[in-house]
DNA sequence: TTTCATTTGTCCGTATGTATT
DNA sequence: AAATACATACGGACAAATGAA
């Protein structure tokens, strides 16, 4: 289990991304499940919008999630797999 | 030749990224050449630091460039090719 | 060693636009 | 129309890395 520590030398956005990555891997967030929104992450971890944003961007860049504008960011699934 | 138009519906960071992408492709910026710094892009296109930043991030994400912290962002070359 | 300038890294706050429900 | 959620962009601040003087 990974915990968030705002005083760690590891950047906040990487810590939070690691936590979500872990939950995707263990099935807490299964494929096609919507991940916490930017606003939700902001509230939960006390970070700025831009920081929460970067968390989701990171996961999308890694191919672990995809974004539907106006909808949310979801765990990657077979229907959205990218080549 | 692509020009930058701040009033275009195409986001500024994408327009500028397209310009740099073009210059990488045509050899204006050859492999291992340092790309314009964030500050340089800011001055040249009149955009905010974060916007200029996103331009370089985009090219790095695409594998067209790589960053050396404290040094600059360079055009991808054989020595830095990623698998 | 120290200092300085340059450049990237992270983070905050705010504003506005676009898309979907 | 309203609520939710992402997209873009501005501004500012401070830290860390590097290289040069």
């Amino acid at each position: 289990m990974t915990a968030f520590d705002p005083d760690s030398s590891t950047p906040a956005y990487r810590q939070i991304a690691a936590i979500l990555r872990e939950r995707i891997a263990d099935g807490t967030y299964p494929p096609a499940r919507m991940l916490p929104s930017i606003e939700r992450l902001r509230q939960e971890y006390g970070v700025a919008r831009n920081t929460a944003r970067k968390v989701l961007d990171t996961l999308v860049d890694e191919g672990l999630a995809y974004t539907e504008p106006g909808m949310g960011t979801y765990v990657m699934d077979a229907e959205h797999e990218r080549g």
Side-chain angles (χ1 to χ4, degrees), chain A:
Chain A
M1 200 256 306
T2 306
F4 174 59
D5 173 15
D7 298 324
S8 166
S9 64
T10 299
Y13 83 91
R14 288 196 195 179
Q15 288 186 61
I16 301 171
I19 290 172
L20 296 188
R21 211 179 285 119
E22 201 172 63
R23 292 181 183 167
I24 289 172
D26 73 13
T28 300
Y29 296 126
R33 166 71 56 79
M34 182 182 166
L35 291 172
S37 70
I38 290 170
E39 180 59 16
R40 188 78 183 76
L41 290 175
R42 192 186 71 67
Q43 292 170 356
E44 187 162 348
Y45 297 100
V47 294
R49 227 166 257 276
N50 290 342
T51 302
R53 180 65 195 282
K54 186 146 184 161
V55 170
L56 299 181
D57 280 352
T58 297
L59 297 178
V60 170
D61 283 350
E62 291 172 351
L64 293 176
Y66 60 93
T67 292
E68 299 277 13
M71 295 281 287
T73 301
Y74 304 83
V75 178
M76 184 57 71
D77 58 59
E79 301 301 309
H80 297 81
E81 204 69 52
R82 61 177 176 188

